[in-house]
Amino acid sequence: MANSQTEQPILIIRDNNNDTPEQHITMDRDSLTLGRGEESDIVLDERQVSRQHIRIYRQGNKFFIEDLESKNGTWVNGQQLKGSRELGDGDEIQLALVVRVQFIGSGATTPLPFDPPTHIGGRLHLDREGRRVFIGEEEIDPPLSLPQYRLIELLYNNMGRICTRDEVVDTVWPEAMGEGVSEQAIDALVRRLRDRLAEVDPDSQYIVTVRGHGFRLDNPD
């Protein structure tokens, strides 16, 4: 049967809310839209997601993703999406850095879980609604500045994965459009954020610099 489920791509959807179960969606039509609005084919209950955020569609035997001019952006494998691009098996899509969608290509028999799960375990955790950061039971007070919070949220959402300097610029200074942000400004922001975390936990280094690549969050138990 040409349209059997095992021959159709699968979308694995997970947001950063511990209470929200993982969704497995079979790509059983030629086009699907994902967004916060009820007009979307797949509705995502996240206020940072646009009403119609992305479209995933088939052209021949290939599948593509298109950002529908979303307010808070879309990333594929850590690279911000502009317009549309082809999807490959295992590609990871991030919507506004709050929802993750993994694309499992046609022919896949077992959907793979997200690796690593970015919202489970570790001493450091976030309250996104209040833009608050905790290490253990202790809150970082006074609160982080907006650039510091944007950086820690980016690293937290990609826990264990290296975030490039370009990703940092796009997330922390979206209005800069990749221009006018120096290496020194990025390094200074990382130093200030490390200092703020050290005020609560001086014995752990949460932000690791990977020379030539970027930064990674280590979150000890």
Side-chain angles (χ1 to χ4, degrees), residues 100-124:
R100 288 172 174 261
V101 180
Q102 191 171 21
F103 179 83
I104 305 299
S106 57
T109 55
T110 305
L112 301 175
F114 287 104
D115 184 23
T118 63
H119 63 289
I120 299 175
R123 298 192 66 222
L124 186 147

Side-chain angles (χ1 to χ4, degrees), residues 67-132:
D67 181 88
L68 300 175
E69 299 183 354
S70 64
K71 179 179 178 181
N72 292 316
T74 303
W75 286 259
V76 179
N77 300 331
Q79 299 296 316
Q80 188 164 12
L81 175 65
K82 301 293 185 182
S84 61
R85 58 164 283 178
E86 186 179 349
L87 284 171
D89 182 31
D91 280 352
E92 186 177 273
I93 304 158
Q94 296 183 66
L95 282 65
L97 298 178
V98 295
V99 175
R100 288 172 174 261
V101 180
Q102 191 171 21
F103 179 83
I104 305 299
S106 57
T109 55
T110 305
L112 301 175
F114 287 104
D115 184 23
T118 63
H119 63 289
I120 299 175
R123 298 192 66 222
L124 186 147
H125 56 281
L126 307 183
D127 168 16
R128 291 180 175 80
E129 290 293 326
R131 218 184 74 197
R132 302 160 70 192

